[in-house]
Amino acid sequence: FRKKQPNLVNDIVEFEKNFSERSRGVAKQMEVSSFICVPIVFEQEAMGVLMVDNISSKRPLTESDMSLLMGIAPQVAISITNATSFEKIRNSEERFKALSENAPDIIYTLDGHGLFTYVNPAYEKNLGYTTDEVYGTSVYSFLTKDSSRLFFDMLSRIIGKKKSITDQYASLYHKNGEERLFSFSGAPNFDLEGNVIGVVGTLKDITDLKRSEAELQV
């Protein structure tokens, strides 16, 4: 494991002095007389050891057997790496979900065509539509005419130029027909290969704030 080198032992008795007492005890208990160990390596990092013994066959192990395992070990390393990456992604998604579902502001993701692929529960609290009513629907169906043009330009910059947008304003229709003013942000949403697949961002309802500011100026 440390040297990232394979080992073929066909008679454990010849190498017993190289093993710890614990290792000798395990080998004796399992009735192992010969075995092959090959390193599981991914991008120069040792991840583990793939070991095969001859408990069942009892036949001597060969260099050909070791070559076969050396061919299998990289695939094992890739599988372990993929499983670890998947687990990290799943944990990250669970943390994101826990945070977003309790956020007061709308958190959304859009695909490259402006269709909603995710909204948090705040969408219903702010605009009256359930998440099921929003999923797969175009963002433009909720925007006023002027805001639709602005949002189209924003999507073009985010997806085409990989630019992040902050502190922009857009008016969206509430389910009851009322126009609500939002401060919105957006950033590129990347896949695992680094390709932009859409937009992720937030919408903050500032309707009441703007009304209060207008009343103070009167």
Side-chain angles (χ1 to χ4, degrees):
F1 176 81
R2 289 193 300 270
K3 295 181 179 180
K4 292 180 281 190
Q5 295 178 347
N7 277 291
L8 169 60
V9 175
N10 246 324
D11 187 354
I12 198 170
V13 175
E14 296 180 11
F15 295 91
E16 275 189 327
K17 63 182 180 179
N18 297 328
F19 300 140
S20 67
E21 183 178 350
R22 181 182 179 185
S23 295
R24 290 195 298 269
V26 171
K28 184 177 181 180
Q29 185 178 12
M30 296 181 66
E31 299 181 355
V32 174
S33 60
S34 61
F35 60 88
I36 297 172
C37 286
V38 299
I40 299 172
V41 179
F42 184 79
E43 295 184 349
Q44 306 301 318
E45 181 182 353
M47 305 177 69
V49 174
L50 176 61
M51 179 176 176
V52 172
D53 55 44
N54 68 342
I55 293 175
S56 299
S57 68
K58 302 298 183 183
R59 71 169 177 80
L61 298 172
T62 65
E63 292 289 336
S64 178
D65 294 324
M66 188 163 68
S67 296
L68 175 62
L69 292 180
M70 288 294 290
I72 294 173
Q75 302 305 314
V76 175
I78 291 172
S79 296
I80 292 173
T81 301
N82 288 343
T84 302
S85 298
F86 176 78
E87 185 67 20
K88 289 179 179 178
I89 291 171
R90 188 176 66 177
N91 290 338
S92 178
E93 288 176 343
E94 288 176 352
R95 288 195 297 271
F96 171 77
K97 185 178 180 181
L99 290 171
S100 66
E101 288 190 349
N102 294 298
D105 298 331
I106 295 172
I107 298 174
Y108 68 89
T109 60
L110 304 171
D111 67 11
H113 302 289
L115 301 180
F116 281 106
T117 54
Y118 172 81
V119 290
N120 65 337
Y123 200 99
E124 183 174 5
K125 295 176 182 177
N126 284 269
L127 289 168
Y129 293 94
T130 66
T131 54
D132 289 338
E133 290 176 306
V134 178
Y135 287 159
T137 305
S138 172
V139 65
Y140 301 109
S141 63
F142 301 99
L143 291 163
T144 62
K145 186 176 180 180
D146 290 340
S147 293
S148 291
R149 288 195 291 267
L150 178 63
F151 225 87
F152 180 81
D153 291 340
M154 182 196 78
L155 287 180
S156 299
R157 278 185 286 167
I158 292 174
I159 297 175
K161 299 182 179 180
K162 300 180 181 180
K163 299 287 187 179
S164 295
I165 306 295
T166 59
D167 299 326
Q168 299 294 312
Y169 299 105
S171 294
L172 287 83
Y173 290 111
H174 191 281
K175 193 173 184 178
N176 62 14
E178 178 189 3
E179 287 186 22
R180 305 289 297 181
L181 182 63
F182 285 83
S183 170
F184 71 82
S185 67
N189 192 17
F190 298 97
D191 63 15
L192 294 177
E193 283 73 43
N195 302 309
V196 179
I197 57 174
V199 176
V200 57
T202 61
L203 290 161
K204 181 179 181 64
D205 192 338
I206 58 171
T207 308
D208 296 335
L209 176 62
K210 288 299 181 181
R211 284 175 181 169
S212 298
E213 290 177 353
E215 290 172 358
L216 290 173
Q217 291 175 0
V218 174

